C-alpha cells in the first residue's frame, strides 16, 4: 500500500522538484490540485487532511497557516520553510545530526535550510565532540546557485534574453546581518552566539560551497587531521554524507556552471602547511541535500524506507 503525499506549494522551485521526483516512484501517491484551485484554502485544507504526508513549500506565514488547517492527528508534515526550524514540537530534519529514529517517529519535521546544512554538517559534530568551542565567534562564507533565491532571483538571471549578460556575476547579500538562517545555525550547532554569516550568489543555477575557516587557536591541542577523522567517524556508514580526504595535489574546489542534480554532501578539512589554520568546507546542491533532496530523505525515513531511497547520489 502506497502512502499519499500532498505538496502544498508545488508550483515553487522546491515543490516542483519534489513533485517531479515523486512522480517516478511507486511507493508514494501524490495528491494534486488543479492549477485554478492551488490557492483555494478549502481545497488545500481537504488535501492536507486527506494526505498521509504533507510537504509544505510555502513562505513562512503560509506554512504556519497550512499547519493550522490540519484538523486530524494523523497527517504528518515536512515544512521546507523557515517557520518551524527552531520551534518547540518540531523535529529538525537532519537525520545525520538528530538521529534517524527521531525523524522516523516525528509527526512534525522542519526541513533544514540550504546554507545551514553545510554549516551544521561541518560544525555541529566537532562542537559535540569538544574539539572546537561552543562560544567561538565563527564566521561562515558561502556561495550558492541562484535557484536558492526562488522565482524572483531566477527571473533576474533568466527572465530576459540578455539576462545572463546583465545579471551580476557575484552577488553578496545579507550585508547588515540578521539572515533568517542564523537561528537554526546557532541552535542546532549548540553555539553560544550566532555565526558571522556571509552568503553570496553565483551565476549558476544550482550548487553550493559553504566554508568555515578556523585559526589554530580555535582547536588548540588538535590538528586538521583530528578534525577530519572526527567527522569521518561521525558520518561513518552514511550513504549521503561523505568526508573526503584532500588529495595532496588538490589546489582548488570547483563548482560546475552546470551542476547536475545531486542529493549528497561532501565535507573537506584542509589544514594549513604550518598548522596555523583549518578550512572546513561543504559542497552540496542547494536544491538537493539543501532543499528537495533533504525533504525526500526525511519523507523516506518517516515512511520507514531506507533514507537514500530514490535519491540522486551519483556524481
Amino acid at each position: 500500500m502506497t502512502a499519499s503525499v500532498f505538496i502544498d506549494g508545488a508550483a515553487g522551485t522546491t515543490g516542483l522538484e519534489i513533485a517531479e521526483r515523486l512522480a517516478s516512484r511507486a511507493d508514494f501517491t501524490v495528491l494534486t490540485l488543479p492549477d485554478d484551485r492551488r490557492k483555494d484554502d478549502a481545497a488545500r485544507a481537504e488535501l492536507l487532511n486527506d494526505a498521509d504526508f504533507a510537504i509544505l513549500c510555502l513562505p513562512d506565514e503560509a506554512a504556519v497557516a497550512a499547519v493550522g488547517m490540519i484538523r486530524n492527528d494523523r497527517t504528518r508534515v515536512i515544512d521546507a520553510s523557515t517557520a518551524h526550524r527552531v520551534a518547540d514540537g518540531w523535529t529538525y530534519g537532519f537525520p545525520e545530526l538528530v538521529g534517524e529514529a527521531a525523524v522516523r517517529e516525528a509527526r512534525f519535521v522542519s526541513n533544514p535550510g540550504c546554507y545551514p546544512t553545510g554549516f551544521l554538517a561541518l560544525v555541529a559534530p566537532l562542537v559535540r565532540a569538544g574539539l572546537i568551542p561552543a562560544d567561538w565567534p565563527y564566521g561562515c562564507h558561502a556561495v550558492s546557485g541562484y535557484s536558492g533565491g526562488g522565482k524572483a532571483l531566477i527571473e533576474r538571471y533568466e527572465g530576459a534574453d540578455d539576462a545572463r549578460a546583465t545579471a551580476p556575476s557575484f552577488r553578496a547579500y545579507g550585508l547588515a546581518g540578521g539572515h533568517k538562517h542564523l537561528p537554526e545555525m546557532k541552535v542546532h550547532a549548540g553555539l553560544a552566539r550566532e555565526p558571522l554569516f556571509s552568503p553570496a550568489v553565483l551565476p549558476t543555477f544550482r550548487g553550493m560551497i559553504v566554508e568555515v575557516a578556523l585559526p589554530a587557536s580555535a582547536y588548540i591541542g588538535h590538528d586538521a587531521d583530528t578534525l577530519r577523522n572526527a567527522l569521518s567517524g561521525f558520518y561513518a556508514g552514511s550513504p549521503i554524507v561523505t568526508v573526503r580526504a584532500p588529495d595532496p595535489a588538490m589546489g582548488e574546489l570547483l563548482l560546475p556552471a552546470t551542476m547536475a542534480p545531486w542529493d549528497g554532501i561532501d565535507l573537506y578539512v584542509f589544514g594549513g602547511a604550518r598548522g596555523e589554520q583549518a578550512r572546513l568546507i561543504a559542497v552540496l546542491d542547494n536544491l538537493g541535500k539543501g532543499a528537495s533532496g533533504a525533504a525526500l530523505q526525511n519523507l523516506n525515513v518517516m515512511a520507514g524506507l531506507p533514507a537514500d531511497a530514490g535519491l540522486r547520489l551519483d556524481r
Side-chain angles (χ1 to χ4, degrees):
M1 182 175 180
T2 61
S4 59
V5 181
F6 173 52
I7 306 165
D8 197 2
T13 307
T14 299
L16 284 170
E17 186 144 325
I18 294 172
E20 180 266 322
R21 303 274 296 276
L22 287 178
S24 62
R25 293 184 57 171
D27 40 10
F28 295 104
T29 299
V30 179
L31 307 180
T32 60
L33 287 171
D35 287 345
D36 61 352
R37 300 198 70 191
R38 284 192 298 107
K39 296 184 179 180
D40 181 331
D41 285 350
R44 290 174 54 222
E46 182 177 348
L47 290 194
L48 283 167
N49 284 278
D50 285 347
D52 296 312
F53 297 95
I55 303 178
L56 310 181
C57 302
L58 301 165
D60 288 6
E61 289 186 7
V64 172
V67 174
M69 293 179 185
I70 299 173
R71 305 299 184 188
N72 65 64
D73 59 3
R74 179 186 59 81
T75 299
R76 303 173 72 187
V77 180
I78 300 170
D79 181 14
S81 82
T82 312
H84 298 106
R85 290 177 185 164
V86 294
D88 291 340
W90 287 75
T91 296
Y92 194 59
F94 201 145
E96 294 86 355
L97 292 184
V98 305
E100 282 197 8
V103 175
R104 186 179 302 112
E105 296 166 8
R107 184 178 177 202
F108 297 105
V109 172
S110 57
N111 220 48
C114 52
Y115 290 118
T117 295
F119 178 82
L120 292 169
L122 294 164
V123 172
L126 300 180
V127 171
R128 291 184 192 180
L131 296 176
I132 59 176
D135 60 353
W136 190 265
Y138 293 100
C140 177
H141 293 265
V143 293
S144 173
Y146 57 80
S147 58
K151 289 184 176 180
L153 195 58
I154 292 173
E155 177 71 17
R156 185 174 178 182
Y157 278 89
E158 298 183 352
D161 291 340
D162 63 348
R164 291 304 180 103
T166 59
S169 58
F170 183 88
R171 174 181 176 263
Y173 68 104
L175 303 178
H179 195 283
K180 66 179 183 177
H181 288 325
L182 288 172
E184 66 183 292
M185 294 166 80
K186 174 188 174 184
V187 169
H188 298 297
L191 302 181
R193 65 185 83 182
E194 293 178 346
L196 175 59
F197 180 41
S198 303
V201 174
L202 299 176
T204 181
F205 184 74
R206 63 199 308 151
M208 173 172 283
I209 295 179
V210 180
E211 176 175 0
V212 180
L214 300 175
S217 53
Y219 52 95
I220 292 175
H222 310 293
D223 56 21
D225 289 340
T226 303
L227 303 182
R228 187 185 309 109
N229 290 338
L231 290 176
S232 294
F234 187 86
Y235 295 111
S238 171
I240 295 166
V241 183
T242 303
V243 180
R244 301 285 183 186
D247 186 322
M250 190 176 192
E252 59 186 7
L253 273 178
L254 303 178
L255 192 64
T258 55
M259 184 180 192
W262 176 51
D263 296 321
I265 176 171
D266 285 349
L267 306 182
Y268 297 85
V269 179
F270 296 94
R274 295 182 298 277
E276 76 284 7
Q277 67 178 30
R279 297 176 64 180
L280 316 180
I281 299 178
V283 181
L284 64 153
D285 178 357
N286 59 291
L287 292 180
K289 180 63 170 170
S292 304
L296 291 170
Q297 179 185 353
N298 285 321
L299 179 63
N300 286 335
V301 173
M302 294 169 76
L305 301 171
D308 58 343
L311 298 189
R312 296 165 171 165
L313 297 173
D314 295 329
R315 292 187 72 185

